[in-house]
Amino acid sequence: MWMLQINNVNDTYGKCEEIKPLSGSVIIFGASGDLTSRKLIPAIFNLFRRNLLPDSFYLIGMARSDFSDETFREKIYASSEKSEKFSEFLKRIFYISGDYSDQTYYLKLKKRISELDKKFKNNSNHIFYFATPPVVYLPIIKMLGHAELTDEKTGFSRVIVEKPFGYDYNSSLELNSELHKYLKESQIYRIDHYLGKETVQNILMLRFANTIFEPLWNYKYIDHVQITVAEKLGVENRAGYFDSTGLLRDMFQNHMLQLLSMITIEPPYSLDANAIRDEKKKLINSIRPFDRNNINSYIVRGQYSDGIIDGKSVLPYNRETGINSDSYTETFVSSKILIDNWRWSGVPFYLRSGKRMNKKLSRIAIVFKKVPHYIFGNELNTEPNVLLLNIQPDEGFEFMVQAKQPGSKLCMNTLNMKFRYNPSDSPDAYERLILDSLIGDQTLFVRDDGMGISWKLFTPVLEDWAHRKQNNLFYYSSGSWGPSESEALIKNDGRTWIN
Ligand code: BG6
């Protein structure tokens, strides 16, 4: 295959200014946890380094672990870069230990907030980040409400809620209704970090800032679409969470469905958060529901067995630390999805995601139809055009076209036109999303109705699997592309996965 490298041609590239929020602080519940140290602190520090945090910024960590401000700072410092800038950042970090279900904990928080607001001249603007296990979301929101910390008398009070947002349709409705007792929808930021990835945001630009794709973006020209989110990692140290969650809840109901929506929504009338989220809602509503009597023809679940990753033997899922040997939790899902609307009628969308797979790859492949009448002779290349949107790694996109190969008169080959982002240009998804929440832009966050309908789609599947237990759970070798039943899902339609 030939390759063509494309460079940016517009000299405004890299000069777009970010908006610096005027004021705000962040209070993280779950501050001693993995998400805080791995993602949130590095993202917030990067915003600080880029001078994108408000001058009034400070951060309070909340958790049970018994730290003082000093010992919490030391813990953060131990796992971060050692620089003067970071030491400066640490001066804005505080910590309160306590029990999430104890109202006095929130009174302490309120007092601390009022002192720090004065010290840093923060105009009562606060973000409460729920980075805890979801079982404590309800007590936290209730206690924050009772302490009047969710009121917006002077400044803003917003909450960022991590996934999983509920574990099925009813529980997600319940969580929404609890949140709405204390907060308006405009105060709630349901985070899906995939929406913060540069390459995912670029889908909207690619589709709606160019004229060449949209006329082709429908059932007349697109044969099918594949969405793959594969990881080499296994369950790691998250057994407790993952074994009671499974891959469908962990990846499909949120990240995979968001990717599907970005590819398939109708053009919104503007970039306004609600304009985009209205289109997403319409789209998810038009996905054909899974037929309870025929679920297995449309969705395959698997669990990894032993195998080789990066040249090393790895354990099967049910022998990983913290996992029961008879666990039937799925670590892989692939599915065929149909969208019953005018644009996508008859176009299959094949989605797959799994742990312990062959490589780390998040990619959307738009496979166009073949030409209707081929004049170049059968023996020559008849490959379709494919647009690959690489979410990670090799962030960017590729477009495969057929072109003449120099030499013999009728020699043709696939030409790959590639655009790659420079990885250092791409801030982490959490940076984008935390910055947006401080600015008050909800575009990349999930609205209550969008959350409800996405759970509604997958709840029948979850119920079916809970009923079947081990039946219809297929095993795949670690380091492979999933169980053979997933290959069959697409092969039965005369197509193959693009790996
Ligand atoms: C998280 C899931 O939301 O996304 C994890 O809980 C998964 O299980 C992760 O590993 C993948 O994210 P990324 O950004 O590494 O593709």
Side-chain angles (χ1 to χ4, degrees):
M1 194 186 294
W2 311 328
M3 200 182 281
L4 180 79
Q5 197 76 35
I6 301 180
N7 297 318
N8 300 304
V9 288
N10 188 337
D11 67 3
T12 62
Y13 181 81
K15 293 184 190 158
C16 299
E17 296 265 319
E18 284 278 15
I19 301 172
K20 175 170 165 156
L22 294 176
S23 153
S25 66
V26 175
I27 294 101
I28 302 181
F29 290 90
S32 57
D34 191 49
L35 179 70
T36 304
S37 52
R38 253 185 340 106
K39 292 288 185 185
L40 305 185
I41 296 288
I44 295 173
F45 172 60
N46 262 338
L47 292 172
F48 180 72
R49 190 195 343 239
R50 293 165 64 205
N51 195 23
L52 285 174
L53 288 181
D55 298 337
S56 65
F57 176 82
Y58 64 86
L59 183 153
I60 304 178
M62 307 283 287
R64 271 173 229 269
S65 313
D66 191 17
F67 294 123
S68 62
D69 288 345
E70 259 330 297
T71 50
F72 183 58
R73 287 176 192 156
E74 279 163 19
K75 172 180 145 63
I76 291 175
Y77 188 66
S79 57
S80 64
E81 67 166 51
K82 315 284 176 267
S83 68
E84 237 174 76
K85 196 75 185 165
F86 202 86
S87 305
E88 210 185 303
F89 174 64
L90 282 181
K91 291 184 191 146
R92 291 171 179 262
I93 302 217
F94 304 86
Y95 184 86
I96 315 175
S97 73
D99 177 349
Y100 295 134
S101 58
D102 175 5
Q103 189 66 54
T104 58
Y105 189 33
Y106 298 80
L107 298 178
K108 270 193 217 160
L109 170 65
K110 193 171 177 178
K111 184 159 171 281
R112 199 74 187 275
I113 282 181
S114 118
E115 290 160 9
L116 292 172
D117 276 356
K118 274 198 202 98
K119 175 171 172 170
F120 290 100
K121 301 195 174 56
N122 177 31
N123 197 16
S124 288
N125 293 312
H126 310 118
I127 307 262
F128 298 96
Y129 199 120
F130 295 5
T132 60
V135 281
V136 289
Y137 289 171
L138 292 184
I140 295 177
I141 190 61
K142 195 165 150 194
M143 301 286 175
L144 281 177
H146 288 175
E148 297 176 339
L149 284 166
T150 50
D151 294 354
E152 291 196 303
K153 284 187 194 124
T154 8
F156 64 69
S157 172
R158 299 175 185 146
V159 300
I160 302 183
V161 189
E162 269 291 337
K163 62 174 255 288
F165 193 92
Y167 55 90
D168 61 8
Y169 179 53
N170 286 336
S171 59
S172 77
L173 292 187
E174 194 193 333
L175 180 51
N176 267 333
S177 96
E178 271 313 297
L179 288 172
H180 285 148
K181 280 189 193 157
Y182 304 98
L183 301 157
K184 298 187 287 283
E185 183 57 25
S186 59
Q187 294 174 272
I188 307 171
Y189 290 66
R190 296 174 196 79
I191 198 164
D192 183 316
H193 79 279
Y194 263 64
L195 291 177
K197 291 184 189 277
E198 285 289 320
T199 36
V200 175
Q201 294 168 64
N202 188 43
I203 298 173
L204 290 184
M205 309 265 168
L206 198 72
R207 288 191 57 195
F208 304 132
N210 294 293
T211 47
I212 60 165
F213 297 114
E214 211 40 33
L216 308 179
W217 215 257
N218 57 53
Y219 73 97
K220 288 186 200 151
Y221 296 97
I222 292 181
D223 177 74
H224 73 281
V225 174
Q226 301 184 14
I227 305 181
T228 298
V229 175
E231 291 184 275
K232 282 201 283 191
L233 292 179
V235 65
E236 310 303 305
N237 53 3
R238 297 164 78 216
Y241 156 76
F242 192 86
D243 202 43
S244 58
T245 304
L247 196 120
L248 193 80
R249 291 187 180 95
D250 188 45
M251 299 295 291
F252 252 68
Q253 174 273 332
N254 34 62
H255 308 324
M256 299 297 280
L257 211 51
Q258 288 299 329
L259 293 180
L260 177 70
S261 316
M262 297 293 253
I263 289 293
T264 50
I265 55 169
E266 292 300 314
Y269 68 83
S270 80
L271 253 198
D272 174 76
N274 278 329
I276 293 183
R277 298 189 303 174
D278 285 346
E279 294 305 334
K280 282 193 188 169
K281 179 182 169 190
K282 274 198 310 204
L283 187 278
I284 299 175
N285 265 328
S286 58
I287 294 178
R288 188 178 301 175
F290 290 96
D291 172 0
R292 281 178 189 267
N293 300 318
N294 195 15
I295 281 182
N296 295 322
S297 309
Y298 287 88
I299 191 156
V300 170
R301 63 177 168 146
Q303 188 184 86
Y304 61 81
S305 48
D306 54 0
I308 307 283
I309 297 275
D310 291 336
K312 290 200 186 108
S313 302
V314 293
L315 288 175
Y317 177 76
N318 59 12
R319 282 188 44 217
E320 297 267 28
T321 314
I323 307 289
N324 281 336
S325 56
D326 58 355
S327 167
Y328 55 88
T329 299
E330 78 287 354
T331 60
F332 172 95
V333 176
S334 67
S335 174
K336 172 177 167 178
I337 285 187
L338 294 166
I339 298 176
D340 288 326
N341 66 15
W342 194 294
R343 184 189 285 263
W344 296 116
S345 175
V347 179
F349 292 80
Y350 301 99
L351 277 56
R352 64 179 168 165
S353 177
K355 298 208 174 281
R356 282 277 188 251
M357 292 185 62
N358 185 278
K359 57 180 170 191
K360 169 103 178 150
L361 175 74
S362 300
R363 187 169 68 188
I364 301 172
I366 318 280
V367 182
F368 289 86
K369 289 192 168 158
K370 290 188 175 176
V371 291
H373 173 63
Y374 204 68
I375 60 169
F376 300 104
N378 284 338
E379 75 282 8
L380 292 170
N381 202 330
T382 60
E383 291 299 310
N385 296 123
V386 180
L387 178 62
L388 292 178
L389 306 176
N390 295 328
I391 293 160
Q392 61 194 24
D394 298 336
E395 287 88 342
F397 54 86
E398 301 174 33
F399 190 45
M400 317 240 183
V401 292
Q402 304 310 312
K404 184 174 181 323
Q405 192 168 322
S408 149
K409 192 174 164 195
L410 281 182
C411 200
M412 198 172 333
N413 208 337
T414 303
L415 178 68
N416 187 359
M417 297 198 273
K418 259 190 186 182
F419 163 75
R420 285 227 175 118
Y421 278 101
N422 178 349
S424 61
D425 284 349
S426 303
D428 182 76
Y430 278 94
E431 273 179 60
R432 164 85 281 134
L433 295 170
I434 292 169
L435 185 59
D436 282 1
S437 67
L438 281 161
I439 293 166
D441 181 351
Q442 290 185 305
T443 310
L444 300 176
F445 294 84
V446 184
R447 203 169 59 187
D448 54 352
D449 48 4
M451 186 59 78
I453 51 177
S454 59
W455 275 115
K456 194 172 188 175
L457 182 69
F458 289 113
T459 295
V461 179
L462 290 166
E463 287 171 356
D464 183 70
W465 288 351
H467 174 68
R468 287 174 195 273
K469 300 200 165 47
Q470 246 84 7
N471 286 337
N472 293 91
L473 174 72
F474 302 106
Y475 293 89
Y476 60 98
S477 304
S478 290
S480 71
W481 284 101
S484 55
E485 288 72 12
S486 163
E487 301 298 322
L489 180 83
I490 188 165
K491 272 215 172 92
N492 291 343
D493 292 344
R495 302 177 175 105
T496 45
W497 290 109
I498 302 174
N499 292 331

